Amino acid sequence: MRRDIYQAIADPTRRAILTLLMAGSMTPNAIAEQFASSRQAVSKHLQILTECGALTQAQQGREIYYYLNVQKMKEVDQWLAAFRKLWEDRFNQLDNLLENL
């Protein structure tokens, strides 16, 4: 099942996993050690993140390493760009209003 990136980032644990992997690749056990939830719960989160393309995995010897797919995160950034522009325009309008007081 192909998932949407927005389904992946809707969950706080999955967002934390993405943030954790910004520092570099990790094994599932190393990732699970960072959370109070069970190894199975973290594995489910990793599965969802992988299915949506936010993570890639690579086998190195006996270990599987998960990597952040930065390209997929650009999809979120591009979607947010329109909102960022809206906020900047509103702050500029507020600045102009305050200067004229």
Side-chain angles (χ1 to χ4, degrees), residues 80-99:
L80 286 173
F83 294 98
R84 198 173 301 120
K85 173 78 172 107
L86 175 72
W87 297 325
E88 288 172 2
D89 290 345
R90 288 190 177 175
F91 280 123
N92 287 337
Q93 289 173 350
L94 180 61
D95 285 343
N96 290 337
L97 179 69
L98 293 173
E99 286 177 9

Side-chain angles (χ1 to χ4, degrees), residues 16-66:
I17 290 171
L18 291 171
T19 302
L20 188 64
L21 290 174
M22 287 174 60
S25 65
M26 296 178 78
T27 64
N29 286 335
I31 295 168
E33 288 173 1
Q34 304 297 316
F35 298 94
S37 48
S38 69
R39 167 80 165 79
Q40 290 81 12
V42 171
S43 291
K44 182 65 178 171
H45 289 303
L46 292 172
Q47 178 186 357
I48 292 169
L49 289 166
T50 302
E51 287 174 358
C52 78
L55 299 183
T56 57
Q57 56 184 358
Q59 182 93 28
Q60 292 181 12
R62 297 177 63 170
E63 297 283 348
I64 295 174
Y65 284 83
Y66 284 90

